[in-house]
Every structure is written in C-alpha cells, then in structure tokens.
Amino acid sequence: MNELTPSMLSQKHGLDVTNPSDFNLLTQPISSAAVVARGFTAPYSTFPSGASLAQALRPFPQFGSIGDYYEHNGNWWYDALQIKVTKRLSHGLSGGLGYSWSKNLGTVAATNQPTFTTAMPIQDPSQPPKNAKSFENIDQPQMVNFYFNYEVPRFGFSRRGWRRALFSGWTLDGIFHYQSGFPDTNSEFNQHLDFCDFC
C-alpha cells in the first residue's frame, strides 16, 4: 500500500532505478544538496530532514512499509500423476498403496506473510511478474504412502477356551510414508533476484 515502484518513480518523478546516479539519489537525505538541485522538496513541513528521498516520494511519506498480508496477487500451478492401489480384505489381509509424482509451481505463495512465504518477494505488487514462475518452497515431487492390515489367523483353536480368547482377534497394522525433500529456496532464488530496496 505504501510501495515505491520503479514505474511510479519513472512516470511521476523522472527517476530510473537502473541508473546508478538516480538510485544513489533515492538514498540521500531530502535536505542534501544533490536532492535539492534536482528540484525535490519535503512532502510536508514537519518531514524529517534526515529522511531519504525515497521515503519522501512514497504515497504516504509519513509511514514506512505497510504490510499487506494474505493478498491474492500471485498464481499457483499444481500438476501431478496420482496412483492408488487398494487390496480389499481377503485371507485376513487388506492394504493400499498411494503414489504421487508432482510439480508445484508459483509466482508467489504469500506477500509479507511471516509463516508461509517463498524466498521470492513480489517486486511490484501492482504488476506481478509473469516470468517469476518457479518451484514453491513446499514442492515435494515424489510421495509414497503404504498401509496394510493383517488379521492373525486363529491357528485352528476350538470355538471356546482360553487359547481362543487370548489369541483371536489380533491384527497387525502398518502405515508407511516416504517423500522427497523440500527445495533449497535460499540459494536457488537469491542468486537470480535483484531485490528492490524501495518496494
């Protein structure tokens, strides 16, 4: 809500963040000679003289960054091959196997959300990048689930008696879950992104 986007700087103020001198100018205090020479002034009379030009050019210069949690400003793609095999009860045995081979891609998982984010912030939320499609940090390509249930046979015990009461009705169960690990987003994304100091 209080972002300072490259398009806003270019259209409204004639500044180009890819130009080193313009980029450096944004970090200078509003009272510096270089900023005054370019014709920029404080947005209001009590604006701190030590605050940067970038802060003065924000839509609401009296505030810093205003977080916007849970905004729907990204896209997500999930594609998977899913296989399920079930063994119905026969001879005391039943079970099942589930397998998924998937790919979880997205432009972003959340914006400034503290507990669920990718390492890829949106640089300009007003124009989300369509070419920023990459693996989500919850992507797990391979997943296998296996379970079984086996009823122990009665070993020919008679209908009554302590052995039948003690050994009948027992079952053996098992649940197994195997999956591949999560991607290392810290190294993969940070190598390809140029973070914007003013977004």
Side-chain angles (χ1 to χ4, degrees):
M1 294 171 63
N2 204 24
E3 64 178 339
L4 190 59
T5 64
S7 58
M8 183 189 302
L9 288 169
S10 175
Q11 293 170 6
K12 287 187 175 182
H13 307 292
L15 295 171
D16 182 7
V17 293
T18 61
N19 183 334
S21 62
D22 285 355
F23 188 87
N24 183 50
L25 189 70
L26 288 166
T27 64
Q28 299 296 314
I30 192 69
S31 59
S32 72
V35 172
V36 174
R38 290 285 296 267
F40 293 104
T41 59
Y44 51 89
S45 61
T46 58
F47 187 78
S49 60
S52 68
L53 172 62
Q55 181 63 37
L57 297 179
R58 285 181 183 268
F60 305 101
Q62 64 273 33
F63 300 110
S65 297
I66 301 174
D68 192 0
Y69 295 91
Y70 309 107
E71 184 176 342
H72 302 288
N73 54 6
N75 294 302
W76 211 338
W77 296 265
Y78 177 79
D79 299 301
L81 168 69
Q82 298 178 349
I83 300 172
K84 181 181 178 182
V85 178
T86 302
K87 166 74 169 68
R88 304 199 182 277
L89 182 64
S90 63
H91 305 289
L93 180 66
S94 65
L97 172 72
Y99 171 74
S100 67
W101 178 35
S102 65
K103 183 166 55 173
N104 203 333
L105 301 174
T107 55
V108 69
T111 304
N112 297 330
Q113 188 174 338
T115 58
F116 186 63
T117 106
T118 62
M120 179 176 49
I122 288 182
Q123 304 239 351
D124 185 353
S126 63
Q127 299 174 355
K130 296 179 180 178
N131 59 351
K133 186 176 180 181
S134 188
F135 289 98
E136 289 291 327
N137 59 357
I138 60 169
D139 178 61
Q140 293 179 287
Q142 312 259 355
M143 192 174 294
V144 176
N145 293 292
F146 171 70
Y147 73 92
F148 71 92
N149 177 277
Y150 179 66
E151 185 177 348
V152 178
R154 296 174 180 163
F155 301 108
F157 296 140
S158 60
R159 292 186 178 181
R160 297 181 182 180
W162 66 271
R163 287 181 293 185
R164 180 178 176 83
L166 182 63
F167 292 107
S168 64
W170 287 87
T171 59
L172 182 64
D173 304 280
I175 300 175
F176 303 90
H177 175 79
Y178 302 97
Q179 64 191 27
S180 54
F182 295 112
D184 182 10
T185 56
N186 290 332
S187 61
E188 179 183 350
F189 289 103
N190 291 341
Q191 291 175 0
H192 297 91
L193 288 174
D194 182 19
F195 295 103
C196 178
D197 292 337
F198 309 109
C199 297

